[in-house]
Amino acid sequence: MFDYRRYSAAESAELANTSFGLAVFGQLQPIYESQIGSLAKALGQAMPPGVTANQINVALPAGWSDVGPAALGLGPDAVDRDGYYIIESPLTGRTYSGAQAKVYEERDAHGQVTRLSVTFAGTNSPVDLADYTQLNSGEIAPNMNPLLTAVRDYALGNGLTADDVIVTGYSLGAAYTNVMAKYANTLAGGFFADSNYIAHAVPYTYEGDDRVLNIGYENDVVHRTAGDFDSLGEAVQASSGMMGQDYALKSSTDNLILFGDDYANPAWPYGPFALYNIPGGWAAHVAGLTTDAVARITQSAFYGETARDSLVIVSNLTGATRGVTWVEDVQRPSDRHDHVGDSAFLIGSQYGDRLRGNVGNDYIDAMAGDDTIRPGDGQNRIEGGSGTDTLEVSGTMRDWSVSRLADGTTAFFSTSYGLDIVSGVEQVTFLDAGLVGQGRSYAIESDRLEDLTWNGSLAFLDQDVAYTPAWQGTAGNDTLTGSRVFGLAGNDVLTGTRSSDLLSGGAGDDRLDGRGGNDAIYGGEGNDVLTGGGGRDLLNGGLGDDLFVVDARQSGRVTIEDFRLSDVEQDRIRIVGSTIRSDAELRRHGEQTADGLLLHLGASDLLIEHATWSTLTPGTVSFG
């Protein structure tokens, strides 16, 4: 999600976390000669664990420290009484607490300077408000030159290049980061053109040159509110008076949600999602200063599967609501594109969370604590993390079959509710009533599901469940055939039988063909090819750009469950064995239903769930 320029995923994650620590410390330490950051940290440490959303820790990242004006060859008047470097505003001049920046350096164990940071301060006084009016047009950029020239010379004197400089900030400071990036080819002789620009909770974005990574939350009214327009007037006009926007911008995280107590309330944001609605729209902006959400995202077991615009929902509930509130994808005014039902990543906290999926293919990482996890329909991947975690699934035990896989995961499959691949979870509860298994809970053991209904002298009444055998692949590329097949890792070729089959590709670019019968085919992660036809087949590609092949000569009905559910996927459909040869002709053989698009292809029908005709853009469907 935070991949940046040429850096690896691990290096990009480090930049995201380090820049966040610098930006927050630079924002809160100090304000009007008060050590706000230190006070917030002390308050957080004084509270019992679990009261707040996470342990508050406002501090410079390890190894980093201030660089004073003397080191940069500047006079004492270069900084204000709070220790911030003064950047002259084109509107308010050198007014105290106006445009400000900090310069930090990182040193290694030998005392050598290894990296520098220019960290712009965000709004910390009413004086700053005037400068919001010139962010889009960038008048302040030339006034950054005196400080940036001094930083450039200090970097060169310590053997550093532009690549060793992190430019960052929070809120208004994030906007200044984007302004500097926009004019980096000319500022300080162009030295900072190749520096690293990581901004947090940004109101204004610069979209050129792939130069900036803007990290922020969809439910923060400030994040992206001014878009990437060239003037404030254009931004105001586009947002109908600076209402909160859900702009799709390539430099920013567009679907990241900080799920706090406020967001959980169905009445949120208690009025318009707008800049002037401070109690509603600004909650995530303020909470963003002390949350460890960025760190938890990068530490998630599924971080490698995320992309810049993945739907990621991070628990930020307090102890007052955490035990009774589901963290889930819900419809809120901040979501103008209605991603409810899309594939989502749900991330828990170090405490006991309640995490609930939707109809998409969800990735749920509960992390620490004793968590309750309730997946939705579809193809889901669940990691319980540390603690004693409970998986809650719909139906009774009779609705499910369970297999233990060679990679240590456990596969729960139901023709009614989908496929859940689970690890790090200790218990499972089947929620629905029935003659057998009403509210029954089991411990997930290595060789069985251990019935927890009875103990002691009545343990003989236990109805333990044996795992269902399955054909399984390896970490390499496998070719497998069977009625219940798990490819696991690698680029696998999986083939079903003429009866009803379950095929699961797992990670890798897999090819899965159900053949005859009523098949359930799940691609997993990767760019998969799924072939259905003959019987009633369900195809679910999972994450990746998948190709769904439908043989219209085979009688039956094929259902594609997850066609382009995520913003980051470019799935395609190929129809073979049909007389239909064009998109226009396809429209004459289809109808919009409540479940999606139903296409009559000949002997076979194709249902594309959740889709409309607008989903099938040119080139989406091919004919063979």
Side-chain angles (χ1 to χ4, degrees):
M1 186 173 204
F2 303 137
D3 280 359
Y4 178 65
R5 296 169 70 178
R6 66 186 180 280
Y7 295 105
S8 68
E11 291 169 332
S12 297
E14 188 276 332
L15 277 172
N17 283 294
T18 298
S19 63
F20 178 73
L22 294 168
V24 169
F25 193 80
Q27 174 68 22
L28 297 178
Q29 198 80 347
I31 298 177
Y32 281 93
E33 301 182 84
S34 297
Q35 303 299 315
I36 302 298
S38 297
L39 292 172
K41 181 178 179 179
L43 179 63
Q45 291 175 339
M47 290 184 179
V51 172
T52 55
N54 50 261
Q55 193 71 42
I56 297 173
N57 183 29
V58 180
L60 277 174
W64 289 82
S65 60
D66 267 295
V67 179
L72 297 181
L74 300 174
D77 60 344
V79 298
D80 60 24
R81 62 176 181 266
D82 287 329
Y84 288 98
Y85 287 96
I86 301 168
I87 299 171
E88 185 173 346
S89 166
L91 300 176
T92 60
R94 291 176 60 87
T95 308
Y96 170 61
S97 74
Q100 301 163 306
K102 284 276 191 176
V103 178
Y104 300 118
E105 65 183 7
E106 178 189 52
R107 290 181 179 265
D108 62 19
H110 304 290
Q112 298 297 311
V113 179
T114 54
R115 286 190 292 185
L116 294 173
S117 174
V118 176
T119 300
F120 293 102
T123 305
N124 55 20
S125 106
V127 176
D128 287 319
L129 299 180
D131 283 320
Y132 275 91
T133 64
Q134 50 83 41
L135 287 177
N136 294 65
S137 45
E139 286 92 342
I140 199 171
N143 295 355
M144 298 177 178
N145 247 324
L147 175 61
L148 296 183
T149 299
V151 175
R152 176 201 63 191
D153 294 343
Y154 187 70
L156 293 172
N158 283 277
L160 304 181
T161 68
D163 197 43
D164 301 312
V165 179
I166 300 172
V167 183
T168 190
Y170 193 90
S171 190
L172 177 61
Y176 287 149
T177 299
N178 280 261
V179 171
M180 178 177 166
K182 184 175 183 178
Y183 298 97
N185 289 337
T186 56
L187 291 172
F191 175 79
F192 296 99
D194 293 324
S195 291
N196 304 298
Y197 295 85
I198 318 290
H200 297 267
V202 63
Y204 162 72
T205 69
Y206 168 60
E207 292 285 273
D209 304 324
D210 193 29
R211 189 169 279 169
V212 191
L213 168 61
N214 288 296
I215 301 171
Y217 304 105
E218 175 189 281
N219 54 314
D220 172 5
V221 73
V222 177
H223 181 53
R224 302 169 304 162
T225 190
D228 63 336
F229 299 97
D230 290 329
S231 71
L232 179 66
E234 291 176 274
V236 171
Q237 183 177 13
S239 62
S240 301
M242 303 306 270
M243 297 287 287
Q245 292 298 308
D246 196 12
Y247 294 118
L249 299 173
K250 66 180 183 179
S251 72
S252 71
T253 54
D254 292 338
N255 300 301
L256 175 56
I257 295 167
L258 193 64
F259 199 104
D261 293 10
D262 62 306
Y263 190 80
N265 190 326
W268 182 87
Y270 326 114
F273 185 57
L275 278 175
Y276 54 79
N277 181 8
I278 293 177
W282 287 68
H285 193 70
V286 176
L289 282 165
T290 56
T291 184
D292 61 351
V294 171
R296 278 186 280 145
I297 292 170
T298 59
Q299 294 163 5
S300 168
F302 307 123
Y303 178 63
E305 305 299 337
T306 62
R308 179 71 55 84
D309 287 334
S310 291
L311 173 58
V312 179
I313 304 167
V314 187
S315 174
N316 206 57
L317 298 171
T318 66
T321 62
R322 193 181 300 118
V324 296
T325 303
W326 289 104
V327 176
E328 59 186 330
D329 188 15
V330 292
Q331 181 65 57
R332 293 291 185 263
S334 55
D335 171 21
R336 303 291 177 86
H337 297 291
D338 190 15
H339 51 54
V340 174
D342 289 4
S343 297
F345 293 84
L346 277 68
I347 298 177
S349 68
Q350 61 181 308
Y351 309 112
D353 297 294
R354 294 164 62 84
L355 304 161
R356 181 162 61 186
N358 209 308
V359 297
N361 301 324
D362 298 320
Y363 285 71
I364 303 176
D365 188 347
M367 309 202 92
D370 299 340
D371 306 297
T372 302
I373 305 163
R374 189 176 291 182
D377 297 342
Q379 179 179 189
N380 304 300
R381 181 70 174 86
I382 296 156
E383 172 60 50
S386 60
T388 301
D389 306 304
T390 301
L391 178 72
E392 294 185 346
V393 295
S394 300
T396 69
M397 182 63 240
R398 287 184 171 181
D399 297 313
W400 295 82
S401 60
V402 187
S403 296
R404 188 71 169 185
L405 305 184
D407 61 1
T409 60
T410 305
F412 291 78
F413 172 66
S414 167
T415 55
S416 299
Y417 305 113
L419 177 67
D420 299 322
I421 305 295
V422 180
S423 58
V425 174
E426 287 70 35
Q427 294 182 187
V428 58
T429 297
F430 298 90
L431 295 172
D432 292 355
L435 294 176
V436 178
Q438 180 175 356
R440 196 173 287 256
S441 296
Y442 298 81
I444 302 175
E445 304 288 354
S446 60
D447 59 345
R448 70 193 185 285
L449 295 184
E450 171 68 32
D451 189 357
L452 298 176
T453 306
W454 308 100
N455 54 40
S457 61
L458 297 177
F460 70 93
L461 295 174
D462 281 355
Q463 298 180 28
D464 297 350
V465 177
Y467 290 138
T468 303
W471 284 266
Q472 300 185 43
T474 66
N477 303 330
D478 304 296
T479 300
L480 302 168
T481 299
S483 59
R484 189 180 184 89
V485 185
F486 294 88
L488 304 182
N491 302 326
D492 306 312
V493 178
L494 309 183
T495 306
T497 67
R498 295 194 177 275
S499 62
S500 298
D501 306 314
L502 166 63
L503 305 180
S504 172
D509 300 336
D510 306 308
R511 302 180 68 87
L512 308 96
D513 188 347
R515 299 292 173 89
N518 303 329
D519 304 313
I521 304 175
Y522 296 93
E525 300 80 30
N527 303 325
D528 306 308
V529 179
L530 297 83
T531 301
R536 299 183 70 86
D537 296 335
L538 182 143
L539 309 184
N540 185 312
L543 284 181
D545 299 333
D546 303 308
L547 174 63
F548 299 96
V549 181
V550 181
D551 190 343
R553 295 165 296 192
Q554 303 293 323
S555 62
R557 177 165 171 164
V558 176
T559 298
I560 298 177
E561 191 174 42
D562 70 326
F563 187 73
R564 296 197 174 192
L565 274 188
S566 172
D567 284 352
V568 301
E569 294 177 326
Q570 298 296 319
D571 298 334
R572 295 172 295 119
I573 298 171
R574 179 182 299 154
I575 299 172
V576 299
S578 172
T579 59
I580 299 172
R581 287 292 183 270
S582 69
D583 291 346
E585 192 176 355
L586 185 66
R587 282 181 172 267
R588 294 196 292 271
H589 288 79
E591 57 182 304
Q592 184 72 61
T593 71
D595 295 324
L597 283 179
L598 180 59
L599 308 176
H600 306 288
L601 307 178
S604 180
D605 288 341
L606 170 61
L607 174 64
I608 310 173
E609 288 191 349
H610 318 295
T612 63
W613 286 114
S614 62
T615 308
L616 302 184
T617 55
T620 298
V621 181
S622 61
F623 307 91

